[in-house]
Amino acid sequence: MIWDVAICGGGPAGLAAAIHSARAGFSTVVLERAPDAPDKACGEGLMPHGLEALGRLSVLADLPPDQCAPFRGIRYVQEDGGAVEGRFAHGSGLGVRRIALWRAVQKRAREAGAEIRTAGVRGLRGGRLDTDGGPVEARLVVGADGLNSAVRRAAGLELPVRGPRRFGLRRHFQLAPWSDLVEVHWSAGAEAYVTPVGPCSVNVAFLWQEDALCEKASFESLLGRFPALRERVHGATAGSESRGAGPLSRRVKARTAGRLALIGDAAGYVDAITGQGLSLAFGSAELLVQALPRELEEPALSRALRHYEASLRSGWLRYAVPARSLLALARRPALRRRALSVLQRHPRWFSLLLRAVA
């Protein structure tokens, strides 16, 4: 059998693409190496645009109420306790446990008609995939296999990454969220992100630059850099094991090549500092399928993939420019403290900046 669309990667991006693809009438198969729910390191926050995209997948009703919680904006907290916050102008965000999100999106993908196979991709040549479950042929291959995308490397689309490497680490705590905002705590060389993900659960995630820390990074050592946050979670029961990710930055030559398209983190990544990863994943999956012609044959397919690549640019800039700007501030603590102090005096400016990433 030759499939219309073969999706490599069964995380949120790949499953979202499967839903859109199957709904559009394409025969669709998802190839995922992991046999069980992939509880990967993730900040687990969906900005309002991402939540709207998730709504179009018709999965919100399947999210367990005890594994998700809305948030209304963002609060930045400096080392001295000074803070500035902004609320979303329209709608809200959603904190949601990664496993709960995966289960809901996978359920909808199956109901839409996509086939999901446990199989790892070992090689790629045109529309033919060599998997550990046997060969798979497709008119279009979608690389949705994350930061360390094997499909991206096999297609020769990966570029070397410049600059210091950044990493992430997260753990859940069983305690009631103390705010309806996502909190970002700043220190020299690292940030802490607190996202409500249920009525009695918060996700505490750290991002850091490896050459900015003197000690070997661990959850406890990173938490110790944020005394106020450490006091908040002191004595709370851990709700999950610590999980890490990185290096985070990924560069690509292009997001399409031949019969291949990349989506989500596989399509390039700057950093998790703006919390837009899931929004980008759902958005790119939707844009790709919207661009596809009814018949996935040349030359219509090539034109469609060029259109997909072009359609990503505005969304990518909306993500990349703020992310790189915040990274520049994160690497210059003195400048960051001054910039946030200005925003504390002019909180409306912060609300305007928040609109750029929400």
Side-chain angles (χ1 to χ4, degrees), residues 158-171:
E158 191 161 79
L159 288 174
V161 175
R162 300 186 293 261
R165 301 196 305 172
R166 296 248 299 173
F167 294 84
L169 184 66
R170 73 98 177 101
R171 181 188 294 172

Side-chain angles (χ1 to χ4, degrees), residues 231-247:
E231 183 64 24
R232 281 279 192 183
V233 302
H234 179 70
T237 301
S240 68
E241 297 179 350
S242 299
R243 290 187 181 271

Side-chain angles (χ1 to χ4, degrees), residues 20-144:
H20 289 300
S21 174
R23 283 178 176 174
F26 298 117
S27 60
T28 304
V29 62
V30 179
L31 307 170
E32 168 56 47
R33 183 186 304 275
D36 300 314
D39 189 16
K40 296 183 178 179
C42 178
E44 298 183 327
L46 267 167
M47 292 295 210
H49 277 106
L51 184 54
E52 290 173 6
L54 184 62
R56 291 191 290 275
L57 295 171
S58 305
V59 301
L60 292 176
D62 293 318
L63 296 177
D66 63 340
Q67 297 189 56
C68 60
F71 58 88
R72 313 297 179 187
I74 309 291
R75 176 186 293 135
Y76 282 178
V77 184
Q78 303 235 60
E79 294 94 330
D80 63 0
V84 59
E85 65 183 53
R87 295 186 176 261
F88 301 129
H90 304 288
S92 66
L94 185 72
V96 55
R97 283 289 280 116
R98 174 78 176 225
I99 290 179
L101 176 64
W102 175 83
R103 287 177 178 146
V105 181
Q106 190 193 69
K107 175 176 178 283
R108 188 65 66 221
R110 291 187 189 277
E111 290 173 348
E115 180 173 322
I116 300 174
R117 296 183 182 178
T118 301
V121 177
R122 300 186 297 195
L124 167 68
R125 179 173 296 180
R128 183 181 176 86
L129 292 159
D130 176 23
T131 83
D132 49 26
V136 173
E137 291 192 60
R139 295 176 177 86
L140 174 67
V141 174
V142 179

Side-chain angles (χ1 to χ4, degrees), residues 129-332:
L129 292 159
D130 176 23
T131 83
D132 49 26
V136 173
E137 291 192 60
R139 295 176 177 86
L140 174 67
V141 174
V142 179
D145 50 343
L147 283 176
N148 299 306
S149 172
V151 171
R152 182 182 62 222
R153 289 194 301 274
L157 296 179
E158 191 161 79
L159 288 174
V161 175
R162 300 186 293 261
R165 301 196 305 172
R166 296 248 299 173
F167 294 84
L169 184 66
R170 73 98 177 101
R171 181 188 294 172
H172 298 90
F173 289 92
Q174 295 178 6
L175 76 166
W178 54 87
S179 173
D180 64 350
L181 305 174
V182 168
E183 286 189 349
V184 182
H185 296 252
W186 297 81
S187 76
E191 309 93 57
Y193 300 77
V194 183
T195 305
V197 292
C200 299
S201 181
V202 296
N203 177 334
V204 176
F206 299 106
L207 297 177
W208 75 94
Q209 185 175 308
E210 68 175 340
D211 61 0
L213 304 185
C214 298
E215 74 280 5
K216 179 177 175 60
S218 67
F219 192 91
E220 286 69 24
S221 69
L222 289 162
L223 184 60
R225 301 174 71 88
F226 303 91
L229 178 57
R230 180 179 56 192
E231 183 64 24
R232 281 279 192 183
V233 302
H234 179 70
T237 301
S240 68
E241 297 179 350
S242 299
R243 290 187 181 271
L248 299 177
S249 179
R250 292 292 189 270
R251 297 175 62 231
V252 296
K253 295 178 183 176
R255 297 176 179 89
T256 63
R259 290 182 170 269
L260 169 70
L262 302 176
I263 63 172
D265 295 352
Y269 199 69
V270 177
D271 197 85
I273 198 166
T274 63
Q276 292 171 281
L278 286 172
S279 298
L280 287 168
F282 294 139
S284 59
E286 190 169 3
L287 286 172
L288 173 61
V289 177
Q290 285 176 347
L292 295 179
R294 178 58 264 164
E295 301 297 329
L296 301 180
E297 301 295 344
E298 298 296 352
L301 179 59
S302 291
R303 287 196 300 268
L305 295 183
R306 288 195 297 271
H307 177 74
Y308 163 67
E309 181 114 31
S311 70
L312 277 181
R313 288 173 191 154
S314 61
W316 178 257
L317 288 174
R318 183 175 181 168
Y319 156 64
V321 172
R324 289 183 176 128
S325 300
L326 286 173
L327 280 177
L329 288 179
R331 290 166 181 157
R332 298 167 178 82

